[in-house]
Amino acid sequence: MTDRTVTEPGTFEFEGALDTLCVRIVGGAVNVVGTAGGPARLEVTELDGPPLIVTRKGRTLTVAYEDLNWKGFLKWRDRHGWRRRAVISLAVPQQTSVEVGVVTAGAVISGLSGSTVVQGVNGDTTLVGLTGPVKAHTVAGNVEAQSLSGDLRVNTVSGDLTVVEGSGPGVRADSVSGSMVLDLDPAAGADVHLTTVSGEIAIRIPEPGDADVEANTTSGKVSCAFDELEVSGMWGTRRITGRVGDGGTRLRATTVSGAIALLRRPPVEDAPSFRKDL
């Protein structure tokens, strides 16, 4: 095992095979990108406060503060009162499994085929072009995902979830007050399950859809662009149920007081911007 204490901006390379990356920072931003070749590379562009500890143990690379552990990460408090900020970028092999934890910092993770786990407190997370399974747990940060083809699991307290071009085998998202906007082209047999207390849910699927739908809201409004589906309930709980196309994909959405909208994506050449549809 080798340790390196980083006290100022700089660039570092790591020879040899690498299959796991762990990052934990406070303030600033972290950017992780998968690459087809070359050694793993760390670039620290800003660093204020205590040093970062870079540890290489076998095939695992860790970049973190000494007093910031993964266990209990979402409840961490800076007992030393340090003012911290770190802006770092890492290039790692595409197959690397990644764990990223950020406090009041943004995270961008792209181009990986290994598993990805993100925990965030007051920081937004952006996920792009990931083919492996993804888990994201945030307190107040938003999660934005584009072109994901792996399984996606998201849990937020007040952060919003946006998914564009999602084609994985499943999406499971839970939130207290965050809204969810998903543009999906799910794989055959995919399972999509969305739950929020007060947030709104909007889902767009392509024609013909091929989905078995069960969506309900206790007191929110509903809208549905598929004539094949039944909208029921005049007072209290309202539901959208039925089958679109040949079915197969299971689509479930539940909110207590938020609205639910199920939208139809027209053929690509005629498709307007998703956000304009909303």
Side-chain angles (χ1 to χ4, degrees):
M1 182 174 70
T2 58
D3 287 350
R4 175 178 293 169
T5 300
V6 179
T7 59
E8 60 184 10
T11 301
F12 312 91
E13 290 190 350
F14 306 90
E15 299 290 344
L18 181 71
D19 57 25
T20 304
L21 171 67
C22 302
V23 180
R24 299 184 297 274
I25 68 166
V26 178
V30 55
N31 179 43
V32 180
V33 60
T35 60
R41 188 170 181 268
L42 164 66
E43 181 178 2
V44 180
T45 54
E46 295 183 36
L47 184 60
D48 294 320
L52 289 172
I53 307 301
V54 180
T55 303
R56 175 70 182 268
K57 184 178 181 181
R59 292 171 176 257
T60 300
L61 178 66
T62 301
V63 182
Y65 289 110
E66 190 173 26
D67 60 347
L68 184 57
N69 298 316
W70 187 255
K71 186 177 181 180
F73 181 85
L74 296 180
K75 297 180 180 179
W76 178 83
R77 295 290 184 274
D78 188 351
R79 297 178 177 86
H80 301 287
W82 278 318
R83 180 179 179 181
R84 310 184 189 209
R85 177 175 173 82
V87 177
I88 66 174
S89 298
L90 293 114
V92 296
Q94 290 175 339
Q95 69 275 14
T96 303
S97 294
V98 173
E99 292 182 350
V100 173
V102 289
V103 178
T104 61
V108 179
I109 304 170
S110 61
L112 298 171
S113 60
S115 63
T116 299
V117 179
V118 182
Q119 294 197 72
V121 181
N122 297 327
D124 294 341
T125 298
T126 301
L127 310 165
V128 181
L130 305 180
T131 59
V134 177
K135 294 182 179 179
H137 187 172
T138 71
V139 176
N142 300 323
V143 177
E144 296 187 359
Q146 182 174 357
S147 301
L148 302 191
S149 55
D151 197 57
L152 176 62
R153 298 287 183 268
V154 178
N155 182 276
T156 74
V157 177
S158 60
D160 297 335
L161 170 64
T162 302
V163 178
V164 180
E165 299 176 6
S167 60
V171 178
R172 186 179 186 93
D174 300 281
S175 179
V176 177
S177 59
S179 296
M180 301 179 185
V181 178
L182 294 89
D183 185 13
L184 303 177
D185 189 2
D191 189 359
V192 179
H193 191 179
L194 313 175
T195 304
T196 179
V197 177
S198 59
E200 298 180 348
I201 298 176
I203 309 164
R204 188 168 77 165
I205 57 176
E207 297 183 77
D210 296 335
D212 293 296
V213 178
E214 182 179 344
N216 63 82
T217 175
T218 301
S219 59
K221 297 179 179 180
V222 300
S223 59
C224 179
F226 292 88
D227 295 335
E228 311 93 300
L229 299 178
E230 179 183 359
V231 178
S232 60
M234 295 295 294
W235 307 102
T237 300
R238 303 200 66 191
R239 297 180 176 87
I240 304 173
T241 55
R243 171 171 290 184
V244 177
D246 296 329
T249 294
R250 190 177 184 189
L251 178 56
R252 293 171 291 170
T254 301
T255 177
V256 177
S257 59
I260 291 182
L262 186 60
L263 308 174
R264 182 193 304 267
R265 185 203 299 161
V268 175
E269 59 272 17
D270 300 326
S273 167
F274 182 36
R275 293 185 183 276
K276 289 181 180 178
D277 282 355
L278 297 178

